């Protein structure tokens, strides 16, 4: 029997990530090849015409799984009845900016959209924040939507996770699908800590295969931390297709589950695991079952990792304070 359609909201849908993301959702990349979807697309009035153009293209693409399209600049209409909300709307950073430099513009959007989601989304709506600063926008959304369970509000660090897998695959000349269990700890920013201490390639520890701790503790980390800036420098625009693909991976694994023996990185509400201050949205290794994520527990943390995990937590605490000062 055909499944009931799932309503998926994409905010900022007329932007570049939106343009890459909505066809992926309509093709079943996010929720599976047998899951019909109704797309809700929100943007702001200056982008209304472009948004309508995206709607026209979705119709023209004749996606069999796409059962309806709502394209609107009305946040209430956009949020009504949605089961999944992918929050991409906001302003991207430009060359020379840090992600927190877009804070003033973006956190106020997340405060106001929090109430719309809280009031109008379906019960148990799952939220993924993509717009930067992603962790702090997600935190603000959580704080201003207190009736949405905190487990349902997450941010995107899957792009960083995939970047880490990609760098290891390139170094070892193996398929990226053979590299598993890297971890992104902390903030989706240049302080994030890409950790390969527990990662494997073709079933063997990455550290044993790479045989170059200086590279793993140095250039590998900075390459992943700075990859967003490198893309901006090269494209004069921030990453879009890889961000859209990461967003699909994040929701797919959250809803349909992570493969046995594999974890992924998600920005989630910290419960104090690994001595990360509770109450931050921090990227952890997680496994997913039955639509719920669980932080992987008990991984040994060496002194090098501890310092890096603490530094990125400190930055998130500072961002939280800065976000509140922008909102007051
Ligand atoms: P973009 O400028 O191309 O698109 C953003 C869209 O959001 C625009 O169409 C804009 O009109 C719309 N918008 C602005 N305010 C809005 C509001 N209040 N409600 C709804 N829509 C609104 O930018 P982009 O390249 O698509 O990037 C979007 C965001 O994603 C940026 O903040 C970027 O930094 C971030 N990003 C995050 C990751 C990640 O891994 N977390 C990766 C790439 C980009
Ligand atoms: C990315 O990681 O590509 C995005 O967050 C865009 C940026 O500003 O780096």
């Amino acid at each position: 029997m055909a499944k009931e359609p799932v309503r998926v909201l994409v905010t900022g849908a007329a932007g570049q990530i939106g343009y890459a993301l909505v066809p992926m959702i309509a093709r079943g990349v996010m929720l599976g090849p047998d899951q019909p979807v109704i797309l809700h697309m929100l943007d702001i009035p200056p982008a209304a015409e472009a948004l309508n153009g995206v709607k026209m293209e979705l119709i023209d693409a004749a996606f069999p799984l796409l059962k309806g399209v709502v394209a609107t600049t009305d946040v209430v209409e956009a949020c009504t009845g949605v089961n999944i909300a992918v929050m991409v709307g906001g302003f991207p950073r430009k060359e020379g900016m840090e992600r927190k430099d877009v804070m003033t513009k973006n956190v106020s959007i997340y405060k106001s959209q929090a109430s719309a989601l809280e009031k109008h989304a379906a019960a148990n709506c799952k939220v993924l924040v993509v717009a930067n600063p992603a962790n702090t926008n997600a935190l603000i959304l959580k704080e201003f939507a207190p009736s949405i369970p905190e487990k349902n509000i997450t941010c995107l660090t899957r792009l960083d996770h995939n970047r880490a897998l990609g760098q290891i695959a390139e170094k070892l000349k193996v398929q990226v699908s053979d590299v598993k269990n890297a971890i992104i700890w902390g903030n989706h920013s240049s302080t994030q800590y890409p950790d390969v201490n527990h990662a494997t390639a073709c079933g063997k520890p990455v550290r044993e295969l790479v045989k170059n701790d200086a590279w793993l503790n140095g250039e590998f980390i900075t390459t992943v931390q700075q990859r967003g800036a490198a893309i901006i420098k090269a494209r004069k625009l921030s990453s879009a297709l890889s961000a859209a693909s990461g967003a699909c991976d994040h929701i797919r694994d959250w809803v349909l589950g992570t493969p046995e023996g594999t974890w992924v990185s998600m920005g989630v509400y910290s419960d104090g695991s690994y001595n990360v201050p509770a109450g931050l949205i921090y990227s952890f290794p997680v496994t997913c079952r039955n639509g719920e994520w669980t932080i992987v527990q008990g991984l040994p943390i060496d002194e090098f990792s501890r310092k890096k995990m603490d530094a990125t937590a400190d930055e998130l605490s500072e961002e939280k304070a800065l976000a509140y000062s922008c909102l007051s």
Side-chain angles (χ1 to χ4, degrees):
M1 206 172 70
K3 291 180 169 176
E4 281 297 302
V6 167
R7 289 181 184 270
V8 184
L9 167 65
V10 176
T11 71
Q16 26 149 28
I17 296 177
Y19 192 69
L21 179 59
V22 291
M24 292 184 188
I25 299 173
R27 260 197 192 282
V29 175
M30 179 180 273
L31 293 168
D34 60 345
Q35 178 57 64
V37 291
I38 297 175
L39 270 168
H40 288 220
M41 303 194 296
L42 175 71
D43 215 294
I44 49 176
E49 198 179 346
L51 187 67
N52 195 41
V54 179
K55 178 176 176 177
M56 288 157 64
E57 285 204 70
L58 284 169
I59 292 167
D60 296 350
F63 294 112
L65 288 173
L66 187 60
K67 301 300 175 195
V69 181
V70 177
T72 181
T73 57
D74 175 9
V75 68
V76 172
E77 187 186 6
C79 292
T80 298
V82 297
N83 309 99
I84 290 170
V86 187
M87 312 299 285
V88 186
F91 296 90
R93 70 168 165 156
K94 301 275 158 42
E95 212 170 336
M97 292 165 84
E98 282 296 319
R99 291 176 183 116
K100 65 183 165 203
D101 297 334
V102 292
M103 172 98 67
T104 328
K105 284 181 162 183
N106 287 347
V107 284
S108 55
I109 297 176
Y110 285 83
K111 180 181 171 186
S112 67
Q113 294 184 350
S115 349
L117 274 176
E118 185 174 40
K119 291 199 193 100
H120 304 288
N124 214 26
C125 174
K126 288 180 161 56
V127 182
L128 166 61
V129 177
V130 175
N132 283 315
N135 303 54
T136 300
N137 286 340
L139 185 68
I140 294 301
L141 197 154
K142 186 204 84 63
E143 307 240 320
F144 289 93
S147 69
I148 301 182
E150 58 205 23
K151 281 213 112 185
N152 289 23
I153 298 176
T154 63
C155 82
L156 187 70
T157 55
R158 183 62 176 268
L159 172 56
D160 310 283
H161 181 99
N162 289 346
R163 285 168 171 164
L165 301 181
Q167 289 302 309
I168 297 295
E170 291 285 302
K171 184 77 175 174
L172 292 174
K173 302 197 175 19
V174 299
Q175 297 297 316
V176 73
S177 54
D178 287 330
V179 186
K180 297 195 182 350
N181 296 352
I183 303 171
I184 302 298
W185 299 99
N187 200 0
H188 172 66
S189 79
S190 52
T191 67
Q192 68 179 256
Y193 171 43
D195 173 3
V196 292
N197 287 333
H198 314 281
T200 59
C202 309
K204 299 203 182 82
V206 161
R207 275 202 188 271
E208 274 176 28
L209 294 171
V210 172
K211 295 191 188 78
N212 185 345
D213 283 342
W215 182 80
L216 285 171
N217 295 345
E219 195 184 328
F220 162 74
I221 293 178
T222 50
T223 300
V224 177
Q225 289 173 330
Q226 298 293 339
R227 191 66 159 185
I231 304 283
I232 294 172
K233 189 157 185 290
R235 277 185 10 102
K236 314 293 172 227
L237 286 169
S238 66
S239 62
L241 83 87
S242 54
S245 183
C248 288
D249 289 346
H250 176 114
I251 298 285
R252 187 199 58 235
D253 287 348
W254 189 3
V255 172
L256 300 177
T258 41
E260 201 51 47
T262 305
W263 66 63
V264 294
S265 303
M266 283 172 67
V268 299
Y269 192 68
S270 168
D271 60 356
S273 293
Y274 295 97
N275 289 324
V276 170
L280 294 176
I281 303 271
Y282 188 98
S283 179
F284 286 98
V286 300
T287 54
C288 305
R289 291 279 169 282
N290 303 323
E292 302 248 327
W293 53 264
T294 307
I295 296 173
V296 176
Q297 297 293 340
L299 297 172
I301 304 296
D302 63 16
E303 204 183 323
F304 179 87
S305 299
R306 186 73 258 165
K307 283 205 180 107
K308 295 214 168 304
M309 288 162 67
D310 290 346
T312 189
D314 289 348
E315 184 187 48
L316 281 168
S317 300
E318 279 164 30
E319 275 190 18
K320 180 177 180 178
L322 188 60
Y324 272 99
S325 71
C326 294
L327 293 174
S328 60

